[in-house]
């Protein structure tokens, strides 16, 4: 019932996540932020089983902060993604696997923007665009159709709006609002929250 | 051996003539020493029969019983207990998580309310349990889930918070307490442990320079509204910097044993929570007075107890402000039910409803009462408590 989406452009990554924290049939929160800031230019979007999301994401977050404190510089997005995947893989065959689906979005000085797709089986893939959740079934083909590698920021936001409109129209679950953030060489920027129009 | 001779142990304790009976199960390894006299220390401990079984299987009927025993045991045990023990972790008795608790923030602090029914499969195990537990002077927690687990973990949390206070000289904030509890419960994820609590507290900065001390003072003024913004921003600010702005003012967190930890302004937990949510969503605002807030909390619990079978009996209301927590007298909701019926009609309502054939929205309820005429609407079994009612609000 949760939804994550990421779109990578030539010099930015645009990510969005829904804001609903649900418990069985109830929405317990309408303004839940599912993005975790791993460093100045890396965001981790995390959905999945109730407690595992916050526990795992904060664990990764604190470890990356510790790395920065110890070494004086931050991990690159690619290194952070691989570190995350390694942790998922280590716990996968333990008694307490983490059931989380992740998108890691970041900007690297040398490599540029990057979007990494990870799932609960600890697969990792760098992708130009990606989505998690049931909403992914409805929106991946829109992304396939309209995405181009050199799209501008406005085009990316328009593409995102198309995806959300499709969810509003066809998805059985009401997701009223989405947090949207953009990462580029300046850092992480909060964009305006997108509402699906249905309250 | 030398010591044994010295103490003349063999003469003091006779050899036990009966060994533990053969009903030992696989779970319980038997802490009793072997009965052979070659053991140096033979303590004769008269063991009660029921202790031969594993404590986990206490009260459960093994499937190996003959039909005769089956009949016998079905007479002595109340209905609803499992007849067969499952192969995985067996429960001493079936648990159920029925309750209605709620909490919300408003200008006067935090209001927490809960019903008082503890149910256990088909029974009301306790009609006057306490589901809102104070943890320290400025923090209360509502409990839902398994009563024993909640009571235990609240005590553990209270101990840890007190230790924190002694070590660091200040109270841990509500968010910190929530995080502590969440991390303490995390290792038990996947087990039968079930605790769903909301922590309602007032964070005051005793060590903050720009805030007057809240301890000991009888400040009853309302908190400043921007402290709520600070409290809710602190979770996002935390991600922006390593050093957190210390929040102050009312604060509300939901912590669940599955690992969920949410900060919010309004939560309701338990089987009756959907009914409570619908009442609260209509009327809860920041600028409620204490009286209005108490009234809407009471109403929400009352409606939930009316509809939800596992919630009922009385309602407890707690208010947490800068001066600490205060408890409103426990109120029996049965009276409220009759008061409402009196309000909606006049005179002897029961006769009138029966004459009308139970028309209107109350029709369904009245028909049920008609069928249980002899026992009265609530069966009248467990309601005779000498609790003084709080004043009407």
């Amino acid at each position: 019932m949760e939804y994550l989406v990421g779109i990578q452009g030539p010099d930015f990554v645009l990510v969005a996540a829904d804001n609903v924290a649900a418990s069985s049939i109830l929405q317990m929160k309408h303004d839940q932020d599912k993005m975790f800031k791993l460093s100045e230019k890396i965001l981790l979007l995390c959905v999945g089983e109730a407690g595992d999301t916050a526990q795992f994401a904060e664990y990764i977050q604190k470890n990356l902060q510790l790395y920065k404190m110890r070494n004086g510089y931050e991990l690159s997005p690619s290194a952070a993604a691989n570190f995350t995947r390694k942790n998922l893989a280590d716990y996968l065959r333990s008694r307490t696997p983490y059931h989380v689906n992740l998108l890691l979005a970041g900007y690297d000085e040398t490599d540029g923007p990057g979007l990494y797709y990870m799932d609960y089986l600890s697969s990792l893939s760098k992708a130009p665009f990606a989505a998690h959740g049931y909403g992914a079934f409805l929106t991946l083909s829109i992304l396939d159709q309209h995405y181009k590698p050199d799209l501008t920021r406005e085009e990316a936001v328009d593409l995102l709006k198309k995806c959300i409109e499709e969810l509003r129209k066809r998805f059985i679950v009401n997701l009223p609002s989405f947090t949207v953030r953009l990462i580029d060489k300046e850092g992480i920027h909060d964009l305006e929250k997108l509402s699906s129009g249905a309250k | 051996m030398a010591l044994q001779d010295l103490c003349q142990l063999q003469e003091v304790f006779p050899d036990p003539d009966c060994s533990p009976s053969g009903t030992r199960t696989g779970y319980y390894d038997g802490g009793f020493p072997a009965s052979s006299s070659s053991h140096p220390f033979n303590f004769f401990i008269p063991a009660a029969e029921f202790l031969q079984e594993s404590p986990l299987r206490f009260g459960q009927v093994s499937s190996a019983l003959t039909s005769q025993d089956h009949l016998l045991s079905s007479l002595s045990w109340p209905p609803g207990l499992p007849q067969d023990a499952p192969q995985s972790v067996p429960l001493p008795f079936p648990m159920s998580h029925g309750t209605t608790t709620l909490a919300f923030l408003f200008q006067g602090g935090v209001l927490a309310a809960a019903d008082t029914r503890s149910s256990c499969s088909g029974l009301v195990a306790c009609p006057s349990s306490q589901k809102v537990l104070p943890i320290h002077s400025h923090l209360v927690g509502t409990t839902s889930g398994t009563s024993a687990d909640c009571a235990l973990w609240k005590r553990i949390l209270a101990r840890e918070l007190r230790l924190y206070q002694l070590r660091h000289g200040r109270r841990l904030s509500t968010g910190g307490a929530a995080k502590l509890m969440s991390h303490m419960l995390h290792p038990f994820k996947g087990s039968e442990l079930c605790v769903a609590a909301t922590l309602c507290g007032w964070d005051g900065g005793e060590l903050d320079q720009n805030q007057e001390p809240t301890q000991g003072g009888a400040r009853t003024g309302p908190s400043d509204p921007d402290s709520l913004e600070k409290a809710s921003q602190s979770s996002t600010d935390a991600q922006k910097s390593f050093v957190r702005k210390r929040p102050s003012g009312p604060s509300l967190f939901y912590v669940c044993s599955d690992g969920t930890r949410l900060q919010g302004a309004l939560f309701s937990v338990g089987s009756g929570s959907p009914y409570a949510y619908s009442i609260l969503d209509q009327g809860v605002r920041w600028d409620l007075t204490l009286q209005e807030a108490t009234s809407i909390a009471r109403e929400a619990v009352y409606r939930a107890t009316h509809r939800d079978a596992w919630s009922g009996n009385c309602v407890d209301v707690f208010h947490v402000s800068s001066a600490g927590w205060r408890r409103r007298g426990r109120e029996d909701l049965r009276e409220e039910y009759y008061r409402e019926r009196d309000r909606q009609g006049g005179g002897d309502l029961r006769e009138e409803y029966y004459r009308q054939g139970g028309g209107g929205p109350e029709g369904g309820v009245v028909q049920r009462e008609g069928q249980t005429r002899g026992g009265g609407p609530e069966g009248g079994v467990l309601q005779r408590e000498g609790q003084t009612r709080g004043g009407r609000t």
Side-chain angles (χ1 to χ4, degrees):
Chain A
M1 306 300 170
E2 301 173 291
Y3 180 66
L4 300 178
V5 65
I7 303 171
Q8 180 202 324
D11 59 349
F12 67 91
V13 189
L14 182 73
V15 287
D18 74 291
N19 286 332
V20 170
S23 166
S24 88
I25 59 166
L26 293 171
Q27 283 186 18
M28 296 210 75
K29 266 186 84 126
H30 320 279
D31 55 357
Q32 172 81 328
D33 190 2
K34 302 186 186 178
M35 304 194 194
F36 294 83
K37 183 178 153 177
L38 299 187
S39 77
E40 290 307 312
K41 294 183 193 161
I42 305 181
L43 274 179
L44 181 70
L45 287 74
C46 188
V47 292
E49 196 178 320
D52 288 351
T53 49
Q55 286 284 132
F56 184 74
E58 285 184 359
Y59 171 69
I60 301 292
Q61 188 183 44
K62 303 311 172 201
N63 268 295
L64 288 187
Q65 287 173 357
L66 182 63
Y67 183 95
K68 181 185 174 178
M69 284 182 211
R70 280 187 179 149
N71 302 295
Y73 60 91
E74 293 176 334
L75 271 180
S76 68
S78 162
N82 278 286
F83 171 71
T84 308
R85 189 214 68 84
K86 178 79 167 62
N87 269 288
L88 268 176
D90 286 340
Y91 279 101
L92 182 63
R93 296 199 189 260
S94 73
R95 279 184 312 109
T96 56
Y98 285 106
H99 199 294
V100 289
N101 293 315
L102 309 165
L103 285 182
L104 191 142
Y107 188 92
D108 193 25
E109 300 300 330
T110 42
D111 298 331
L115 177 68
Y116 296 87
Y117 171 100
M118 278 172 276
D119 73 359
Y120 69 102
L121 295 170
S122 76
S123 66
L124 169 68
S125 175
K126 188 171 188 303
F129 56 86
H132 273 301
Y134 288 117
F137 288 95
L138 296 168
T139 52
L140 276 174
S141 46
I142 299 179
L143 292 165
D144 279 328
Q145 188 184 24
H146 294 294
Y147 176 81
K148 42 193 212 298
D150 54 351
L151 84 177
T152 67
R153 284 153 216 249
E154 291 75 25
E155 286 169 347
V157 173
D158 282 337
L159 187 50
L160 181 62
K161 283 184 181 161
K162 281 200 183 75
C163 293
I164 290 174
E165 173 60 25
E166 180 61 23
L167 287 183
R168 186 201 63 79
K169 203 165 166 206
R170 287 289 179 188
F171 192 29
I172 198 178
V173 172
N174 177 32
L175 298 172
S177 73
F178 297 81
T179 306
V180 184
R181 292 203 165 103
L182 184 120
I183 310 178
D184 62 7
K185 66 176 176 8
E186 258 93 56
I188 302 175
H189 311 279
D190 288 345
L191 299 186
E192 205 180 281
K193 255 192 195 179
L194 283 183
S195 134
S196 67
K199 285 285 182 305
Chain B
M1 299 305 172
L3 184 62
Q4 180 182 322
D5 292 336
L6 188 65
C7 302
Q8 283 130 12
L9 216 53
Q10 295 279 24
E11 289 107 37
V12 175
F13 293 101
D15 287 344
D17 46 336
C18 61
S19 56
S21 69
T23 56
R24 189 175 310 182
T25 68
Y27 293 98
Y28 189 55
D29 234 343
F32 303 118
S35 59
S36 77
S37 55
S38 65
H39 235 260
F41 293 94
N42 293 324
F43 295 104
F44 176 65
I45 302 159
E49 276 303 316
F50 62 85
L51 286 180
Q52 306 304 320
E53 287 186 338
S54 154
L56 287 177
R57 296 178 56 86
F58 178 68
Q60 287 176 339
V61 176
S62 142
S63 55
L65 281 182
T66 64
S67 56
Q68 187 79 348
D69 292 348
H70 214 68
L71 184 66
L72 201 66
S73 51
S74 67
L75 290 175
S76 50
W77 273 289
L81 287 178
Q83 296 297 308
D84 279 326
Q87 288 310 310
S88 59
V89 181
L91 298 173
F93 42 78
M95 320 264 195
S96 75
H97 314 310
T99 189
T100 305
T101 67
L102 59 95
F104 57 88
L105 301 178
F106 69 113
Q107 53 81 20
V110 196
L111 206 78
D115 73 308
T116 60
R117 173 175 291 182
S118 281
S119 54
C120 177
S121 75
L123 322 163
V124 175
C126 176
S128 55
S129 54
Q130 192 175 1
K131 300 190 190 179
V132 187
L133 303 172
I135 297 173
H136 61 65
S137 62
H138 286 72
L139 180 67
V140 307
T142 68
T143 61
S144 164
T146 313
S147 313
D149 286 334
C150 288
L152 172 69
W153 283 100
K154 282 283 153 67
R155 283 186 66 112
I156 293 175
L157 182 67
R159 178 192 73 196
E160 293 302 322
L161 293 184
R162 177 68 180 144
L163 283 173
Y164 184 96
Q165 184 181 6
L166 290 169
R167 284 174 186 146
H168 297 90
R170 63 178 181 89
R171 280 202 305 268
L172 188 57
S173 65
T174 314
K179 201 164 222 185
L180 182 61
M181 188 150 182
S182 173
H183 286 301
M184 287 197 295
L185 292 175
H186 183 69
F188 298 92
K189 190 173 158 99
S191 70
E192 300 279 350
L193 183 77
C194 182
V195 173
T198 63
L199 297 179
C200 325
W202 184 282
D203 300 329
E206 289 99 80
L207 299 187
D208 269 356
Q209 296 82 358
N210 51 352
Q211 188 134 16
E212 56 268 53
T214 58
Q215 250 184 349
R219 256 185 36 180
T220 49
S223 75
D224 44 319
D226 9 319
S227 61
L228 174 63
E229 264 77 76
K230 260 196 281 176
S232 57
Q233 261 176 19
S234 65
S235 57
T236 48
D237 282 345
Q239 299 180 10
K240 292 201 169 68
S241 65
F242 295 146
V243 176
R244 261 156 234 165
K245 245 191 313 194
R246 207 168 291 155
S248 73
S251 184
L252 179 59
F253 278 82
Y254 167 67
V255 181
C256 186
S257 53
D258 66 6
T260 312
R261 186 183 76 246
L262 299 172
Q263 180 177 23
L266 168 67
F267 285 116
S268 175
V269 186
S271 56
S273 65
Y275 308 111
Y277 265 121
S278 42
I279 301 293
L280 293 169
D281 282 337
Q282 288 179 31
V284 167
R285 300 179 318 272
W286 174 257
D287 50 359
L288 292 172
T289 66
L290 176 58
Q291 195 176 7
E292 288 170 343
T294 310
S295 156
I296 199 174
R298 246 182 93 262
E299 177 86 12
V301 175
Y302 165 62
R303 297 285 169 205
T305 57
H306 182 53
R307 283 289 178 183
D308 181 34
W310 295 279
S311 308
N313 300 100
C314 308
V315 59
D316 281 335
V317 181
F318 276 69
H319 170 228
V320 185
S321 65
S322 57
W325 60 262
R326 263 179 37 245
R327 177 190 175 161
R328 187 172 162 274
R330 177 172 280 190
E331 185 189 342
D332 191 340
L333 287 173
R334 186 183 31 153
E335 308 299 324
E336 175 63 27
Y337 174 67
Y338 290 130
R339 253 180 273 139
E340 191 182 20
R341 289 212 318 181
D342 291 340
R343 273 201 296 277
Q344 288 179 359
D348 188 0
L349 291 185
R350 288 200 212 202
E351 305 310 317
E352 194 178 319
Y353 275 123
Y354 295 149
R355 248 184 293 121
Q356 285 176 3
E362 306 270 294
V365 178
V366 173
Q367 261 134 36
R368 260 179 266 133
E369 285 175 0
Q371 283 153 19
T372 62
R373 192 89 209 262
E378 274 92 4
V381 173
L382 300 160
Q383 305 304 319
R384 292 289 162 238
E385 22 170 75
Q387 302 275 358
T388 55
R389 274 192 286 119
R392 300 183 187 193
T393 304

